């Protein structure tokens, strides 16, 4: 076997999972609800604004979808002992990690693209204009956010030897990188700012703390939106500050999001290569 063979087999296994179908259906239903409510509101329907509302909610739910689909990809095999069977075939540990990363990433991306495909059909039926460039850009960024959390979940799964540890690691990462980052004044970074500036009186720049917050894949996703939305919607999306330093630019946020696709998976592979599988 090879990376391709592992990915193909795992893709077929994941495709049969009821949980994947359930979360896919729920996300598609969420898309339908947002586009329906948007076209029946008191103001003229606007696809761009509906996409912005959808992604605001998606920042909470999409990481859950990705983590749910992936966290047992390798940890489950290790706990059940089936990992030995995979390695008894002509597979390397790299084949297993990368193959499962590719398969789970393909499933996650498919979930997002199908949901956005449904949204595109509804936009054509219910809205004055589809805004195809913006629509495609938002869909692409959403796929990248999904793949970032797939990479994280693969890393956690590869680095842990049991279902419980993989679940705990995934839940912990979700809270730290997502729920505890979304609201600036109640985030982990705000607590760090209170300690460093409020208690120790170091006088560090607010921009520095905002950059630390942008290291979260969810916040990087949000901050990259000016790259794909019209300029008149930009302030509505991210409250852009024209005086902000270059390291807070949307291009930097996009680069951070891309880094999340690669670095966690590489670290997971490194840890998996060192693990004693018994």
């Amino acid at each position: 076997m090879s990376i391709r063979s592992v990915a193909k087999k795992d893709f077929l296994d994941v495709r049969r999972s009821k949980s994947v179908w359930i979360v896919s259906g729920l996300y598609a239903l969420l898309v339908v609800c947002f586009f329906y409510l948007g076209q029946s509101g008191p103001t003229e329907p606007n696809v761009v604004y509906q996409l912005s509302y959808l992604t605001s909610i998606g920042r909470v739910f999409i990481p859950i979808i990705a983590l749910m689909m992936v966290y047992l990809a390798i940890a489950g095999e290790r706990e059940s002992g089936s990992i030995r069977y995979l390695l008894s075939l002509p597979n390397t540990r790299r084949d297993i990690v990368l193959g499962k990363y590719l398969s789970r990433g393909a499933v996650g991306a498919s979930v997002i693209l199908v949901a956005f495909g449904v949204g595109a059909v509804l936009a054509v039926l219910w809205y004055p204009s589809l805004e195809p460039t913006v629509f495609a850009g938002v869909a692409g960024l959403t796929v990248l956010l999904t793949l970032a959390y797939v990479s994280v979940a693969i890393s956690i799964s590869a680095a842990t030897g049991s279902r419980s540890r993989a679940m705990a690691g995934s839940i912990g990462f979700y809270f730290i990188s997502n729920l505890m980052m979304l609201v600036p004044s109640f985030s982990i970074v705000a607590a760090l700012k209170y300690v460093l500036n409020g208690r120790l009186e170091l006088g560090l720049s607010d921009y520095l703390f905002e950059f630390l917050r942008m290291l979260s894949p969810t916040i990087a996703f949000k901050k990259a939106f000016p790259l794909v939305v019209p300029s008149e919607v930009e302030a509505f999306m991210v409250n852009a500050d024209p005086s902000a330093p270059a390291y807070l630019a949307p291009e930097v946020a996009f680069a951070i999001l891309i880094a999340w696709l690669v670095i966690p998976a590489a670290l997971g592979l490194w840890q998996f290569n060192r693990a004693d599988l018994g």
Side-chain angles (χ1 to χ4, degrees), residues 251-269:
E251 291 81 4
V252 176
F254 182 79
I256 291 172
L257 190 59
I258 295 297
W260 278 105
L261 272 66
V262 179
I263 296 174
L267 292 175
L269 175 59

Side-chain angles (χ1 to χ4, degrees), residues 23-236:
V23 296
S24 302
L26 289 175
Y27 187 68
L29 182 61
L30 182 67
V31 171
V32 172
C33 290
F34 267 86
F35 277 89
Y36 173 76
L37 294 173
Q39 62 90 30
S40 59
T43 59
E44 183 180 4
N46 187 306
V47 167
V48 176
Y49 277 83
Q50 288 312 116
L51 288 172
S52 70
Y53 292 129
L54 178 64
T55 52
S56 295
I57 299 298
R59 289 198 296 269
V60 176
F61 288 105
I62 288 173
I64 295 176
I65 294 173
L67 293 170
M68 276 183 59
M69 288 193 300
V70 184
Y71 81 98
L72 290 180
I74 298 174
E77 302 260 22
R78 290 178 64 178
E79 186 171 86
S80 68
S82 58
I83 194 72
R84 297 187 186 91
Y85 168 74
L86 281 176
L87 289 172
S88 69
L89 300 170
N91 292 326
T92 64
R93 298 191 185 199
R94 181 178 68 93
D95 293 338
I96 292 173
V97 173
L98 296 184
K100 287 182 176 288
Y101 179 28
L102 291 175
S103 65
R104 305 290 169 124
V107 172
S110 298
V111 169
I112 300 303
L113 292 176
V114 168
F116 270 85
V118 172
V121 172
L122 298 179
V124 170
L125 294 175
W126 293 341
Y127 288 74
S129 174
L130 174 62
E131 303 290 347
T133 303
V134 177
F135 208 102
V138 172
L141 274 182
T142 306
V143 168
L144 290 181
L145 176 65
T146 306
L147 295 179
Y149 276 92
V150 168
S151 177
V152 169
I154 280 290
S155 178
I156 293 171
S157 191
T160 54
S162 69
R163 294 168 180 261
S164 58
R165 291 177 183 174
M167 179 181 292
S170 298
I171 293 173
F173 185 84
Y174 175 75
F175 272 91
I176 291 172
S177 69
N178 195 295
L179 295 185
M180 299 182 74
M181 285 289 192
L182 286 176
V183 181
S185 57
F186 294 98
S187 66
I188 292 178
V189 173
L192 180 64
K193 179 181 177 181
Y194 170 76
V195 172
L196 296 181
N197 282 358
R199 306 298 295 179
L200 300 179
E201 299 182 351
L202 296 182
L204 300 176
S205 168
D206 288 345
Y207 291 129
L208 175 60
F209 290 105
E210 186 61 21
F211 176 75
L212 292 177
R213 185 168 164 265
M214 198 168 74
L215 293 177
S216 158
T218 303
I219 304 305
F221 166 75
K222 176 184 177 182
K223 296 291 187 180
F225 259 94
L227 298 176
V228 297
V229 299
S231 58
E232 64 269 17
V233 186
E234 195 172 299
F236 172 80

